[in-house]
Amino acid sequence: MRLRVPYLDWPLFFATAGLILMGLLTVYSATSIPGAHQGLWVKQLAWCAIAFGAAWVIVAVHYRLYDSLAWPLYGISLVLLVAVLAIGSSKLGAKRWIELGPLQFQPSELAKLATTFVLARYFDNARLDLTQPRWWLPPLFIALVPFALVAKEPDLGTGLSFPAMLIAMYFWAGMPMGRLLLGLSPVFNVALFFVTGSVWWFVGLFIAMIALARPKLQMLLIVVALNGVVAVELPHLWNHLHDYQKRRIETFINPDNDPYGAGYQIIQSKIAIGSGGVMGKGYLKGSQKALSFLPMRHTDFIYSVVGEELGFLGALTVVLLYVVVILRGYRLAAVARDGFAGLMAIGVVTAMFFTIMVNMLMTVGWAPVTGVPLPFLSYGGTALVVNCIQIGLLQNVALRRREY
Amino acid sequence: MPSGPPRRIKDDRFNVLAALTLAGFLLVVMGLLRLQVVQHDELSRLSEQNRVRLDVLRAPRGAIRDRFGRLLADNQPSFDIIFRPMPAESTTRVRSVIHSEWIARVAALLEDDTLDVRRRVLEANRTGQTAVLRRNSPYAVMAAVEESRSDLPGLDVQVAPIRRYPEGTLGAQLLGYAGEINDQELSDREDDGYRLGDLIGKTGVERRYEDLLRGTDGAEFVVVNAMGKRVSTLHEGPPRPPVPGHDVTLTIDLDIQRMMEETMADVDRGAAVAIDPRDGSILGMVSRPNFDPNEFSRGISFARWKELNEDGSNPLLNRAIQSAYPPGSTFKVVAMLAALRFGLVTADTHMPVSCNGGFNFGGRRAACWDKHGHGSVDLLTALQFSCDVYFYQLGLRLGLDKIQSTARALGMGEKTGIDLPAESRGLIPTDAYYDRHFKSGHWPRGVLLNLGIGQGELLATPLQLALMTSIVSNGGTPVRPHVVKAIADDPGFKLEKPLEPGISTTPEAWAAVHEAMQRVVDKGTALAARVPGIAVAGKTGTAQNPHGKDHAVFVCYAPADHPTIAMAWIAENSGHGGVVCAPMAARVLRRALLGDSTQIAVRAAARRDSLAAADSTEAAD
């Protein structure tokens, strides 16, 4: 079919293109030091072409196709997630990839898209009543199954984008805020337990939340029961973990406990960014010495290179470009022609927003090291293709918003 | 028509999401401002003049001591020459480091091969990890390196603890040794936080108690100057102090162990075990030949490693628990006990066929070791002189099941559960075993003849023989053999339950066995095991060995009335147990029970006291 190019969302298009360009330049700079990764930017350039082609195909097909293919795609992605646990190749202790000849493929990326489609399809229903458990329980399972499989790889950073997406879509589909917060209470429960080591903090918070939200009795009972199970079982479960499992969780919560690995990277990243100052050291002039020993300076820690060489102004430019992408994405959800398109846009944008936050906050030292790449900037072919496909889906919504 | 909620509601929801988005990115911007404006000067300094390095603070491994606190293993510093790769930003420096002149000078300093140095330096530059160029270097090399460090960027001296075994070869297989972790162990135990260059227990106590001995390494960030010299620590990450490993106290008595080693010094291959039969504490454990574990700590050369492993007599093998031998006539104790407990005989039972130097069975003649014969003897006399003809008939009368169940109750045929790795099970044949080796259900009764005198398929480790002797000596109470007595700061440590059931039978049966074993030493085949002033009980053995001269075997316990030590001795290919092993056992018993000549009076007094105490407890019962 012919694309009505003028209807594309141009701010979104140019912001994306700007980010990809910055990514290419930074990968070039990060790999310009003699070493194993020299010349990777050429490969990244080739991937740009592929990613653009993929996005074009995604835009060309009407999103109704994604609607109808949602469940089969979801099924396939679950099979692949199980397969990756069984046969996937491991890197740095995690099994995240399936090798396809020379390519590596992360099933968690497909699962993110497929789960978005399924949830959008589910929520796009005239009879939907999110005050009833029989309506709000199924999507919880739809999102938690891929979450659990991805978290097991272990790739908690990517895994958590499933609940993030789900929460945004609950909200968009009309679940009242108070209820949503109450529903999230087991999450606060776990988080508070790990931070404070006691369940009593949460008990106080929980009572305050109930007083504010005043849920129906049925809802109240479910939430109380859920939190009760979590509160009673969690310390029990914790004490039964092996020492090395506890250590992993503790390192995840607090990377300073692991100064050999994650803590070292964080400190190097902070030095790189901080030494860049407001103006930066100049493109290709990054002298952050220790950072050159970081194996991930062109992937997970690429934002440190931007911060060092281009300074606060360069880093801020990247932030502004992301703000355009995310806000345009949410805006498209609001103007979408139908429920499915809006919900799909919400899911896609939230997943991307979450990934950006996890990576950027890690780079500035405010979030644990989780091995999540920065969309459009980090080196990595499949990630770039997937990110362009996500943009393609948003453009697809933009293109057809005026179809009658 | 567009579906879904009205436009106004959608706008409200968009506003919420937009606010969250802006809040998120604002957080990032605040993070950037903190680093790039607030902390800019400090971080710039770190980046420009200095750099940060992570130094591992090695945790000292726990010490190993004997039961009285005398040192058996601790740590000493090793001065390692290391290469720290230079930061890659200064490419000129990287080139200068791998320059052939640098390599040649370093190789000359370290008295090492240029190619080898080059390979390790390149590897370190590639991975960014520190490379150890020479471990435990002598003082002269260290001094030379210190002098020329300023012209040789990247080179450094690092102190790391290595293991020291002050007693050298003493108890080598029991203690085991700790050495640098190898690739296989590293990939198996990565989850436990092991890293390249770590020490890990390889054998013996060092391996079995690795988790407790090891401790937890600490770490600190240090700021170093361009030459790699330490300037200060970094306040960003406070140092994490190392947690030392737990000290381990063994049940070993260094005096007994040393005396056992001395008496075994002339034995080419063999083993001896001494147990306290009251609780299963191992008092001494020797395996010959032995090795010096210090060789492994210092970093053993591949050639020496091969030599140790390929030596036919295998000094690394702990024969006391890993080698199984035919028990020979020492097994007659088991046969005697089995016959008594199942009521087949009493102390004064005579067998139908008296000993004339041999026994005819199934058309063949089975010889007695004494070809002059013992005549018609009762059970006690048969054990005293180890009459084979008597025990052939006893074996036939007992049958396989009663023999094997009694042996198992005494801890044979299964692992004893001692807290040392790689223990052997030995072999006590069962019906199923013979069914596999002969036609099912049709195995010849002749095997019982052999079992009665401890030959045939039977195999037992020296530890199992010592355990058997312990249980016999203490009247059937099972004990768990163990080498660790206590672990410092670990209140959770407790003795595990015995695996074997032990034996319960009549006091008359026990009296007969004890009387017979005492007669073996007093006026039987083990006269050489007598100790003046101490009643010793024992049993000799001479295990036939298809590959050469017989193995000498001896088991004993003392004092006979209140045993505090039980032992098993095996000397491979050296003849009769009563001739070879009994005198060695006597020397150790003398030392263990009477002490040094200077200490005899003290110990004897102590012993009188403990006996008196024991008597009074019995009286109270």
Side-chain angles (χ1 to χ4, degrees):
Chain A
M1 95 171 236
R2 256 177 85 198
L3 295 183
R4 275 156 289 187
V5 172
Y7 291 141
L8 282 179
D9 191 289
W10 292 107
L12 180 62
F13 179 87
F14 285 116
T16 309
L19 285 167
I20 292 176
L21 187 65
M22 288 207 68
L24 272 174
L25 293 172
T26 317
V27 168
Y28 175 81
S29 173
T31 58
S32 63
I33 301 161
H37 305 299
Q38 209 167 3
L40 275 186
W41 67 277
V42 183
K43 275 175 89 178
Q44 186 73 349
L45 194 63
W47 277 108
C48 284
I50 296 169
F52 187 76
W56 193 266
V57 173
I58 292 293
V59 176
V61 180
H62 196 290
Y63 56 71
R64 262 184 232 124
L65 184 69
Y66 310 131
D67 190 354
S68 51
L69 283 179
W71 282 106
L73 277 177
Y74 182 75
I76 291 169
S77 63
L78 289 192
V79 170
L80 288 174
L81 282 179
V82 172
V84 80
L85 288 175
I87 59 157
S89 51
S90 311
K91 276 187 192 169
L92 306 169
K95 280 188 162 185
R96 300 175 182 177
W97 290 266
I98 287 184
E99 308 265 354
L100 289 173
L103 301 181
Q104 292 166 335
F105 167 70
Q106 287 200 43
S108 55
E109 297 293 351
L110 176 66
K112 261 198 263 184
L113 294 177
T115 308
T116 310
F117 298 154
V118 167
L119 289 174
R121 186 182 168 88
Y122 178 89
F123 285 123
D124 181 22
N125 186 327
R127 288 178 297 140
L128 187 74
D129 176 5
L130 286 178
T131 58
Q132 299 295 326
R134 59 173 286 260
W135 283 105
W136 60 256
L137 266 175
L140 193 63
F141 286 106
I142 292 171
L144 286 188
V145 171
F147 162 71
L149 289 170
V150 174
K152 181 133 176 51
E153 287 178 1
D155 186 357
L156 206 50
T158 305
L160 284 173
S161 56
F162 288 94
M165 212 157 77
L166 175 70
I167 292 162
M169 290 169 88
Y170 268 140
F171 173 67
W172 196 258
M175 183 178 270
M177 275 284 236
R179 236 164 243 282
L180 197 54
L181 287 177
L182 210 55
L184 286 174
S185 56
V187 180
F188 301 136
N189 193 341
V190 174
L192 270 177
F193 172 76
F194 279 120
V195 173
T196 65
S198 139
V199 294
W200 295 107
W201 289 92
F202 172 73
V203 172
L205 179 75
F206 187 55
I207 291 170
M209 279 168 64
I210 289 173
L212 286 175
R214 295 175 180 281
K216 275 193 205 143
L217 185 64
Q218 188 188 22
M219 171 87 181
L220 182 69
L221 288 178
I222 290 173
V223 173
V224 169
L226 209 59
N227 281 288
V229 169
V230 173
V232 171
E233 282 303 312
L234 206 60
H236 198 63
L237 210 67
W238 178 252
N239 290 331
H240 276 77
L241 290 177
H242 288 291
D243 278 347
Y244 78 89
Q245 289 171 318
K246 286 186 190 175
R247 208 157 49 227
R248 278 184 180 171
I249 295 175
E250 280 165 355
T251 302
F252 176 74
I253 307 288
N254 179 8
D256 288 345
N257 282 344
D258 180 23
Y260 306 119
Y264 182 70
Q265 292 167 353
I266 292 265
I267 285 183
Q268 299 303 349
S269 171
K270 283 178 172 176
I271 292 176
I273 295 177
S275 65
V278 177
M279 304 301 295
K281 294 174 184 169
Y283 183 58
L284 294 181
K285 291 188 183 138
S287 71
Q288 209 335 356
K289 307 148 194 209
L291 195 63
S292 50
F293 284 126
L294 273 183
M296 295 189 287
R297 65 183 181 278
H298 60 293
T299 54
D300 295 357
F301 280 94
I302 196 154
Y303 195 53
S304 319
V305 180
V306 175
E308 186 189 14
E309 298 193 338
L310 306 179
F312 177 69
L313 295 182
L316 187 64
T317 308
V318 172
V319 167
L320 292 177
L321 289 172
Y322 279 126
V323 169
V324 172
V325 170
I326 301 300
L327 289 188
R328 284 312 299 172
Y330 282 140
R331 193 67 217 156
L332 285 171
V335 300
R337 197 179 111 76
D338 56 37
F340 176 83
L343 284 157
M344 180 178 79
I346 291 291
V348 165
V349 176
T350 304
M352 189 180 279
F353 175 51
F354 185 80
T355 308
I356 295 167
M357 279 298 116
V358 167
N359 181 286
M360 284 188 149
L361 291 175
M362 162 187 89
T363 322
V364 299
W366 282 354
V369 174
T370 45
V372 170
L374 190 58
F376 306 113
L377 264 74
S378 288
Y379 171 79
T382 40
L384 185 64
V385 171
V386 170
N387 291 325
C388 286
I389 286 174
Q390 290 174 313
I391 297 297
L393 289 169
L394 296 177
Q395 294 288 13
N396 196 329
V397 173
L399 203 61
R400 295 179 176 84
R401 67 187 168 210
R402 292 190 228 281
E403 265 178 15
Y404 290 97
Chain B
M1 274 296 293
S3 61
R7 186 62 193 262
R8 191 179 49 77
I9 291 182
K10 280 188 184 173
D11 281 348
D12 286 349
R13 290 180 190 161
F14 168 79
N15 289 338
V16 170
L17 291 176
L20 282 173
T21 306
L22 292 176
F25 282 109
L26 193 64
L27 201 61
V28 172
V29 171
M30 280 162 59
L32 289 172
L33 284 173
R34 183 177 73 118
L35 296 176
Q36 300 190 303
V37 177
V38 180
Q39 302 179 354
H40 171 63
D41 290 344
E42 182 195 342
L43 294 172
S44 288
R45 200 162 34 76
L46 287 178
S47 145
E48 278 156 25
Q49 303 155 12
N50 302 299
R51 60 187 210 284
V52 175
R53 186 177 74 207
L54 180 80
D55 275 1
V56 175
L57 306 171
R58 299 249 173 216
R61 204 173 164 81
I64 304 178
R65 296 168 191 283
D66 93 329
R67 59 164 51 217
F68 300 117
R70 290 170 289 191
L71 198 62
L72 297 174
D74 67 349
N75 307 297
Q76 67 180 24
S78 148
F79 295 94
D80 299 343
I81 311 298
I82 58 162
F83 169 71
R84 285 212 180 85
M86 291 287 107
E89 103 286 353
S90 55
T91 43
T92 49
R93 171 154 285 160
V94 174
R95 295 215 177 90
S96 81
V97 160
I98 57 170
H99 196 273
S100 54
E101 193 194 334
W102 189 98
I103 302 276
R105 278 190 64 188
V106 171
L109 271 180
L110 302 186
E111 299 154 7
D112 197 356
D113 184 40
T114 9
L115 282 176
D116 201 36
V117 172
R118 187 182 177 75
R119 186 179 54 76
R120 280 188 244 182
V121 167
L122 286 179
E123 171 74 10
N125 266 331
R126 198 176 61 72
T127 60
Q129 301 223 336
T130 302
V132 176
L133 299 181
R134 175 151 184 188
R135 213 168 270 288
N136 200 33
S137 57
Y139 183 76
V141 170
M142 198 178 80
V145 168
E146 277 294 346
E147 259 174 43
S148 29
R149 260 182 70 188
S150 51
D151 335 330
L152 294 172
L155 211 59
D156 204 351
V157 177
Q158 181 179 272
V159 185
I162 58 170
R163 211 61 167 148
R164 186 177 74 106
Y165 303 93
E167 300 289 342
T169 59
L170 182 131
Q173 296 92 344
L174 168 82
L175 293 174
Y177 65 93
E180 194 173 340
I181 194 165
N182 64 33
D183 293 347
Q184 181 59 46
E185 290 161 336
L186 196 59
S187 65
D188 288 350
R189 309 200 62 174
E190 220 173 352
D191 281 342
D192 300 328
Y194 284 89
R195 289 181 318 276
L196 213 62
D198 278 359
L199 277 185
I200 187 170
K202 302 277 189 176
T203 58
V205 171
E206 293 273 27
R207 170 158 168 196
R208 175 62 176 71
Y209 288 94
E210 166 68 15
D211 292 345
L212 291 162
L213 284 167
R214 183 183 160 215
T216 311
D217 285 346
E220 68 178 336
F221 290 108
V222 294
V223 180
V224 294
N225 68 12
M227 294 315 300
K229 201 167 153 53
R230 177 186 179 129
V231 178
S232 65
T233 54
L234 185 70
H235 74 264
E236 277 275 335
R240 192 172 61 170
V243 182
H246 296 270
D247 286 357
V248 168
T249 302
L250 301 186
T251 57
I252 300 297
D253 180 334
L254 186 57
D255 294 329
I256 295 177
Q257 177 76 25
R258 185 173 286 137
M259 184 51 90
M260 288 170 77
E261 302 262 1
E262 279 170 19
T263 51
M264 286 285 277
D266 294 334
V267 175
D268 288 338
R269 287 184 304 280
V273 178
I275 304 194
D276 185 332
R278 293 168 296 187
D279 63 0
S281 300
I282 303 289
L283 301 169
M285 180 182 279
V286 176
S287 175
R288 292 279 307 157
N290 56 17
F291 63 97
D292 184 352
N294 289 305
E295 274 191 71
F296 289 90
S297 319
R298 290 185 211 118
I300 196 164
S301 73
F302 183 66
R304 176 74 181 126
W305 165 254
K306 254 178 87 163
E307 193 184 314
L308 279 172
N309 270 286
E310 288 175 5
D311 185 347
S313 58
N314 196 354
L316 300 180
L317 185 72
N318 186 354
R319 287 176 158 75
I321 61 167
Q322 290 175 291
S323 292
Y325 300 90
S329 298
T330 58
F331 194 73
K332 284 174 183 160
V333 174
V334 179
M336 176 180 181
L337 182 59
L340 286 166
R341 77 190 268 238
F342 289 109
L344 302 180
V345 289
T346 60
D348 41 47
T349 304
H350 289 247
M351 282 294 148
V353 179
S354 68
C355 177
N356 60 4
F359 177 66
N360 296 316
F361 182 79
R364 287 201 296 192
R365 183 171 170 83
C368 182
W369 68 271
D370 185 350
K371 52 185 177 294
H372 305 298
H374 294 100
S376 179
V377 289
D378 65 11
L379 180 57
L380 296 192
T381 317
L383 191 85
Q384 178 184 348
F385 294 109
S386 201
C387 176
D388 288 341
V389 170
Y390 189 99
F391 279 91
Y392 288 144
Q393 299 172 73
L394 199 62
L396 288 172
R397 201 177 278 196
L398 276 163
L400 179 59
D401 205 49
K402 293 191 175 73
I403 295 177
Q404 67 99 359
S405 67
T406 304
R408 283 173 197 280
L410 294 167
M412 302 170 93
E414 283 302 332
K415 295 185 178 184
T416 66
I418 191 171
D419 47 350
L420 287 173
E423 186 188 359
S424 160
R425 313 161 70 106
L427 176 65
I428 299 295
T430 57
D431 276 322
Y433 175 88
Y434 284 123
D435 283 351
R436 273 200 308 278
H437 287 75
F438 298 98
K439 216 167 89 183
S440 180
H442 292 278
W443 43 274
R445 278 175 57 77
V447 299
L448 295 173
L449 253 60
N450 271 333
L451 292 186
I453 63 159
Q455 295 291 344
E457 294 77 10
L458 288 172
L459 291 172
T461 65
L463 173 66
Q464 284 173 329
L465 291 182
L467 178 61
M468 176 272 280
T469 311
S470 293
I471 301 173
V472 167
S473 78
N474 70 21
T477 312
V479 291
R480 176 76 162 220
H482 61 281
V483 297
V484 165
K485 184 178 173 213
I487 290 167
D489 313 318
D490 188 23
F493 179 77
K494 62 175 194 293
L495 197 56
E496 299 200 45
K497 285 204 183 73
L499 298 178
E500 74 283 350
I503 288 204
S504 134
T505 181
T506 60
E508 292 75 27
W510 285 120
V513 174
H514 294 156
E515 165 71 16
M517 287 180 77
Q518 208 172 327
R519 277 210 237 157
V520 168
V521 176
D522 285 346
K523 44 197 171 182
T525 54
L527 297 173
R530 282 176 299 180
V531 176
I534 305 266
V536 179
K539 181 69 193 83
T540 57
T542 303
Q544 284 160 24
N545 169 19
H547 307 297
K549 210 173 155 191
D550 295 344
H551 298 325
V553 190
F554 183 61
V555 300
C556 63
Y557 63 86
D561 47 354
H562 284 96
T564 57
I565 180 168
M567 297 197 288
W569 294 73
I570 287 185
E572 290 184 28
N573 314 114
S574 44
H576 287 275
V579 177
V580 180
C581 293
M584 299 196 288
R587 285 180 65 190
V588 173
L589 287 179
R590 208 173 301 138
R591 171 77 189 207
L593 300 170
L594 301 176
D596 281 344
S597 51
T598 52
Q599 292 178 6
I600 286 179
V602 182
R603 295 254 184 141
R607 199 169 61 82
R608 269 197 308 276
D609 289 350
S610 73
L611 285 184
D615 282 345
S616 62
T617 359
E618 268 181 17
D621 288 345

